[in-house]
Amino acid sequence: MTGVRALDTRSFEITFNNDLSEQIRQFVTGNPNYLTEFIRVSGGTAGQPDGALDGGPLNKISGTRLFVVDGDARSLRVLLGADASLGDSRYQVWFDGKGHELADDLLIAGANGSTLRGTTTTPRDLRGTTRPAEKASIASATAPDSRSVRIVFTNPVYAAMPASRYAGTGITVTRPNGTTVRPAYVQKVGGTDNTAWELTFSEDLGAGSHMVTINGAQHALTTSIGNLGNTDVVSASFEGATRQRSAPQVTDITVGDERETIVVSFDRKIAAVNGGGDNVPLAETPGGTGGTTLTRTQLLAAVDLSGVLEGAEDGISSLAQNVEDVAAYAPDLRTLVIKVEKGTRLKAGSRGSVTVQAGAVTDLAGVGNAAAKVDFKVPNSKPKKTSYDPNAPEYLRVNQNASVTFRHNVFEFTDAPNDLSVRRENVENRLVNEKIDAILVENKYIEATFVPGYGGRLLSLIYKPTGNDLLYTNPTGTPYGFNNNPVGRPGTSPFYHNWLMVWGGIFPTLTEAEHGKYWFLPWDYSISETADAVSITMTNKDTTHYGDRPSRYVYGPTGLETTVTYTIGKKTPSVDMTVSIHNPGTQTVSYEYWTCTTLAPGAASNQGSPTMEIVSPVSVIQRDSAYTWMANVEKPANPATPNDRYLVLDKLNKMVNWRGDGIAYGQGLAQNPQGNWWGVINHENGEGVVRVGDNKVTPGMKFWEWGYNSSFDTNIYRNGSSARPYIELWAGTSGRFFEPAKIGPGATTSWTETFLPTMDLAGVTNASKAGAAEVAFQRTGGQLTVRGDVFSTHIGEDLRVELVDKATGRTLASKSFNGAADQSVDLSAELTDDATVQLVLTDRAGNVLLQAEKPAAGA
């Protein structure tokens, strides 16, 4: 700690000799009260407002908060609560960890790896000030062009200014004629110490004297003294600009090192891509994360592509025909990433171009681009190699002495006897690394981590050909969903134990709804090994019964005996999960069983992609009654029966369309001949994960997501903020939560679920343990074309795929191939409108491994 300086009577800044780590900056941002109990200020005068600064911890001063400093990564800013203020005096400031190591326990570290050593720091002098703290006010407003206004506040504004697209009414501009207009977009100008914002409008403001106004009732802007009140209004005048807003332009085009992506950068944020009359709005979270995808048709209607593909003879004209079916995505509003089809790449050292058609993109002010051709050069790079060797021999290994670390907030269980509940007041901001025993199983294709001691779960499933995980593992767990009632009274939490903490993976939940009774409790287990397979068998007998559980949990201690056996074969890139539920009693038992999955394929274990899409045979969902927002996204499945909660599943497949968190249930799986599967695909790289089961036994399919904004603007260090970037799909023996399944005396129910990777697929029509396939149709002019795409788990084997006219049995197209670990195989054919096409995958002996069919009607 190198210095401390006062900004006004209610705030001061602590500066360090190095940039602070991103971790501690995020931690402070997520928990503004964090560290206040470990910062001390002495020098206050008894009887004066600064008398509260008597050397005690700052958290005793109610309302004291910390903020990171925008534009200064070396500083933290302290805003004192209302019961204290600085005067024209001398003070001293220091950290006192109260026995905790400042670096290890409190996480105070530098971006370069340096740490704040020990449990205390040397006090630093702070000279007070008489400069008064003030509420927010606007120092100036200017109009850079006809559709934008920049406002600069007199003092830093720490909270309550909106970001991203603006739908509120609290910010207005009044024109000379008295009419008002609201901005379409609000964006902070980075590096200005939270003082500058830019407002963008969807129409010209015009010349003359204007007034910008912010209403405190809707935007309680926070400065060092506190918030704007409900009756407060801040405003400033400015002269409207006569200079028209310029058209958006492409500033740069680069090719990724893998030579499989073309990255187009724009000079400003783009609101939509327009191609062939198909206007695709681009999604963005307030934090700036994108995720919208474009199909091949949508992309090629907006841009022309020219480039040379590796191994192509003429090259130049072939690039447009060799982009993926999901051909592009926008990671943010300034960037469009075009994807070259897997198995092909741009030729090293070659040149190409992207021509953006006039009006193909519009910016946030609604201004379209002029036609422009921009050239690019392909780097002389070689594709990165993974540790996966396709020519290596098959093997199977087990490490029974592995361990994993679950990092989470420090918490304690209640003191009530036999109670494993957690209360909000028993959770600290501080983190702890909990080491948990694990079993690691791997073969040539996958590495699976099992944790019997924490809910009997498969925590991670890494696909070695890419090095990415199929599942999501939470980097920082936080307890939430607490009971509001006193200990010993029935709970009000959504969860059986009156709390939950997400870790992730795949795990059984029983014998109650939601996450059941055993999500964090140990299961007994045993391991069996043969030369060809490893099985981990986990067992549980339901005897748990908590008196203060929420009243809707009614099944009691069922006595059911559940066995979950995870199996990995020597030659397969998948995991089998066999579930067996036995009723040893003499009475029929009501219960619930669900397999919970946290899916985020194609990324590191603790990351997810905003391009993720649910793939399933489901065409109709039933929303939970609490989540009415879904009815504003999807069309009703039964328009003649309003408010029945059944919706046509169209947009909610895509993560970017989840406006909030929510529950929905897939319908009709058990009756669908192609209904025994569902999964998630990451469209950034085409990697996916599919669950194959028996939906006559597990007819329930539950959807849960945290919401697009919440998932990607989440702060993993915020105590109690549990939203994370994954998709949660469930398979259940009943149709929905709190709807029981029944099992008779002495009866056993069992089934097997298989979790497998997919590569290079834009969608799925059907799946089996042997892989996944899509059948899709495209009409160009008057010609209808069918395309089949298949990825098989029979890697390295000789396979054959055919497209067959179901009515006549005629083979439309066929291809023999060797199963590949990193890409699918596609084929296509022309056909008539009334055909139903079957994709048939067979092995060398002619055995059918997978069949997927789809009618051309409506294509």
Side-chain angles (χ1 to χ4, degrees):
M1 199 170 77
T2 56
V4 190
R5 69 184 183 101
L7 303 177
D8 54 42
T9 55
R10 295 285 291 279
S11 65
F12 64 89
E13 206 166 83
I14 301 171
T15 301
F16 299 85
N17 63 323
N18 290 311
D19 288 354
L20 293 166
S21 70
E22 186 61 26
Q23 180 185 53
I24 189 61
R25 288 171 59 81
Q26 287 188 33
F27 212 120
V28 168
T29 300
N31 305 280
N33 297 324
Y34 181 64
L35 295 182
T36 58
E37 65 176 299
F38 305 110
I39 299 175
R40 296 174 179 250
V41 181
S42 66
T45 303
Q48 299 298 316
D50 68 348
L53 305 175
D54 58 1
L58 288 184
N59 69 331
K60 74 174 186 178
I61 304 170
S62 178
T64 298
R65 292 161 292 170
L66 261 69
F67 291 88
V68 300
V69 180
D70 176 44
D72 180 3
R74 296 190 173 196
S75 299
L76 297 175
R77 191 164 291 168
V78 179
L79 273 57
L80 295 171
D83 294 334
S85 64
L86 298 171
D88 187 15
S89 304
R90 295 187 181 276
Y91 307 88
Q92 287 197 316
V93 179
W94 70 98
F95 282 91
D96 181 353
K98 297 194 294 187
H100 293 290
E101 292 288 329
L102 298 173
D104 296 335
D105 296 336
L106 306 188
L107 307 179
I108 305 176
N112 61 358
S114 59
T115 57
L116 196 60
R117 299 186 182 280
T119 61
T120 60
T121 63
T122 301
R124 293 285 177 179
D125 292 333
L126 168 64
R127 177 69 192 190
T129 180
T130 58
R131 181 189 175 194
E134 299 175 338
K135 288 185 177 182
S137 61
I138 301 176
S140 65
T142 55
D145 60 48
S146 60
R147 296 194 179 190
S148 63
V149 175
R150 175 178 281 209
I151 58 175
V152 179
F153 291 96
T154 305
N155 297 305
V157 173
Y158 298 103
M161 266 300 281
S164 194
R165 289 178 170 88
Y166 185 70
T169 59
I171 302 177
T172 57
V173 166
T174 304
R175 291 166 160 153
N177 64 4
T179 61
T180 60
V181 61
R182 294 191 291 269
Y185 195 88
V186 180
Q187 180 177 3
K188 185 173 78 171
V189 180
T192 62
D193 195 13
N194 291 303
T195 61
W197 269 261
E198 184 166 302
L199 315 180
T200 301
F201 297 83
S202 57
E203 57 184 285
D204 289 341
L205 296 178
S209 180
H210 296 67
M211 180 73 72
V212 59
T213 302
I214 302 177
N215 188 325
Q218 295 189 33
H219 302 294
L221 308 183
T222 302
T223 59
S224 58
I225 201 172
N227 305 334
L228 285 181
N230 288 339
T231 60
D232 290 330
V233 172
V234 296
S235 60
S237 60
F238 66 93
E239 288 297 313
T242 57
R243 184 169 70 87
Q244 295 296 302
R245 187 176 180 88
S246 61
Q249 298 179 10
V250 176
T251 58
D252 189 32
I253 295 182
T254 58
V255 175
D257 289 340
E258 297 293 306
R259 294 184 276 124
E260 295 177 344
T261 56
I262 301 169
V263 182
V264 182
S265 301
F266 297 93
D267 66 340
R268 67 183 65 146
K269 291 189 174 185
I270 301 302
V273 175
N274 316 297
D278 195 359
N279 183 33
V280 182
L282 302 185
E284 181 198 48
T285 69
T289 299
T292 302
T293 58
L294 300 176
T295 66
R296 179 191 287 122
T297 300
Q298 290 168 334
L299 175 70
L300 296 181
V303 303
D304 290 332
L305 301 175
S306 174
V308 181
L309 295 176
E310 194 172 71
E313 295 293 333
D314 58 359
I316 297 299
S317 63
S318 61
L319 176 57
Q321 285 74 44
N322 285 275
V323 293
E324 293 279 9
D325 290 338
V326 176
Y329 65 95
D332 55 68
L333 296 193
R334 289 179 177 266
T335 310
L336 188 66
V337 180
I338 300 170
K339 304 189 298 176
V340 180
E341 197 168 44
K342 277 277 189 348
T344 61
R345 55 175 53 92
L346 291 160
K347 184 178 180 180
S350 66
R351 294 183 179 273
S353 64
V354 176
T355 301
V356 184
Q357 305 292 349
V361 298
T362 54
D363 71 5
L364 294 163
V367 177
N369 68 295
K373 177 182 177 182
V374 183
D375 296 329
F376 62 80
K377 183 177 180 181
V378 182
N380 287 300
S381 58
K382 294 182 179 180
K384 281 189 292 188
K385 293 184 178 180
T386 67
S387 59
Y388 171 73
D389 179 3
N391 299 314
E394 308 282 357
Y395 68 92
L396 188 61
R397 283 200 294 258
V398 183
N399 180 359
Q400 300 187 35
N401 299 309
S403 64
V404 289
T405 298
F406 185 16
R407 189 181 210 186
H408 56 75
N409 290 103
V410 174
F411 67 89
E412 293 181 357
F413 294 108
T414 66
D415 292 331
N418 302 315
D419 191 351
L420 293 175
S421 295
V422 174
R423 310 289 294 191
R424 188 187 307 275
E425 59 269 23
N426 291 338
V427 182
E428 299 182 30
N429 288 331
R430 196 165 54 85
L431 300 179
V432 66
N433 293 323
E434 181 181 359
K435 187 176 179 180
I436 302 174
D437 292 340
I439 303 162
L440 188 67
V441 182
E442 60 177 318
N443 62 22
K444 178 178 173 178
Y445 308 106
I446 58 174
E447 179 181 287
T449 302
F450 299 93
V451 188
Y454 204 100
R457 71 185 64 209
L458 164 58
L459 181 65
S460 170
L461 183 56
I462 294 173
Y463 187 52
K464 290 184 178 181
T466 67
N468 292 323
D469 209 329
L470 304 183
L471 312 179
Y472 180 84
T473 305
N474 194 352
T476 306
T478 183
Y480 73 101
F482 306 106
N483 180 11
N484 292 322
N485 289 338
V487 174
R489 288 180 54 189
T492 56
S493 168
F495 309 113
Y496 184 89
H497 291 281
N498 294 309
W499 72 295
L500 187 70
M501 183 166 63
V502 170
W503 194 6
I506 295 168
F507 57 98
T509 71
L510 59 144
T511 50
E512 297 277 4
E514 275 290 353
H515 289 252
K517 302 177 178 180
Y518 300 101
W519 60 268
F520 66 104
L521 296 177
W523 287 52
D524 294 329
Y525 72 95
S526 62
I527 302 173
S528 64
E529 299 180 55
T530 69
D532 296 320
V534 171
S535 293
I536 304 171
T537 299
M538 307 187 192
T539 57
N540 169 283
K541 183 168 184 177
D542 176 33
T543 58
T544 295
H545 185 64
Y546 286 141
D548 65 346
R549 70 195 182 281
S551 59
R552 60 180 176 170
Y553 293 108
V554 297
Y555 304 131
T558 65
L560 293 181
E561 297 169 349
T562 302
T563 302
V564 177
T565 301
Y566 298 99
T567 301
I568 294 178
K570 184 176 182 178
K571 298 182 179 181
T572 57
S574 57
V575 176
D576 287 342
M577 178 185 182
T578 299
V579 182
S580 175
I581 302 173
H582 175 63
N583 179 8
T586 59
Q587 302 293 323
T588 295
V589 171
S590 295
Y591 74 101
E592 287 189 51
Y593 172 91
W594 294 84
T595 298
C596 177
T597 71
T598 58
L599 307 179
S605 297
N606 58 5
Q607 297 176 12
S609 168
T611 69
M612 286 190 293
E613 179 176 357
I614 299 169
V615 288
S616 76
V618 170
S619 59
V620 174
I621 59 174
Q622 183 187 36
R623 67 169 178 84
D624 185 274
S625 59
Y627 302 103
T628 57
W629 64 265
M630 293 182 182
N632 298 319
V633 176
E634 299 286 28
K635 295 179 181 178
N638 305 308
T641 310
N643 302 319
D644 70 351
R645 306 207 312 268
Y646 289 94
L647 304 170
V648 175
L649 180 60
D650 178 31
K651 296 181 174 59
L652 288 178
N653 285 322
K654 295 185 177 181
M655 194 169 199
V656 294
N657 293 325
W658 281 68
R659 296 180 182 175
D661 61 14
I663 294 173
Y665 297 93
Q667 304 298 299
L669 287 175
Q671 293 76 41
N672 190 328
Q674 297 185 136
N676 284 327
W677 64 276
W678 41 251
V680 171
I681 288 177
N682 175 346
H683 287 302
E684 289 188 41
N685 49 30
E687 296 183 39
V689 56
V690 166
R691 175 256 187 198
V692 176
D694 182 352
N695 285 332
K696 287 184 172 54
V697 185
T698 55
M701 179 190 179
K702 179 210 167 191
F703 296 65
W704 165 267
E705 294 188 31
W706 290 101
Y708 169 59
N709 287 349
S710 297
S711 292
F712 294 97
D713 283 354
T714 189
N715 185 315
I716 64 171
Y717 301 110
R718 181 178 288 124
N719 185 349
S721 179
S722 51
R724 297 292 186 267
Y726 61 85
I727 293 176
E728 194 172 285
L729 300 180
W730 299 59
T733 54
S734 53
R736 55 180 294 123
F737 281 175
F738 303 103
E739 175 185 283
K742 294 182 182 294
I743 185 168
T748 300
T749 299
S750 62
W751 68 94
T752 296
E753 307 180 37
T754 299
F755 296 90
L756 55 95
T758 68
M759 291 290 292
D760 193 27
L761 292 180
V764 178
T765 305
N766 198 14
S768 72
K769 292 180 66 171
E774 181 184 30
V775 178
F777 301 93
Q778 181 175 344
R779 187 180 297 278
T780 305
Q783 181 59 57
L784 186 64
T785 301
V786 60
R787 173 172 168 144
D789 209 350
V790 62
F791 173 81
S792 178
T793 57
H794 288 239
I795 299 169
E797 297 183 22
D798 291 331
L799 305 169
R800 182 175 177 81
V801 61
E802 295 180 326
L803 292 177
V804 178
D805 186 320
K806 181 179 179 180
T808 66
R810 182 171 65 93
T811 298
L812 305 172
S814 64
K815 185 179 290 187
S816 296
F817 65 100
N818 189 262
D822 61 350
Q823 67 184 79
S824 62
V825 170
D826 62 75
L827 66 171
S828 61
E830 296 179 354
L831 75 163
T832 58
D833 289 2
D834 60 352
T836 293
V837 177
Q838 292 181 325
L839 180 149
V840 182
L841 176 69
T842 56
D843 62 15
R844 182 186 298 178
N847 299 308
V848 175
L849 302 175
L850 172 63
Q851 185 170 294
E853 71 174 51
K854 192 173 185 180

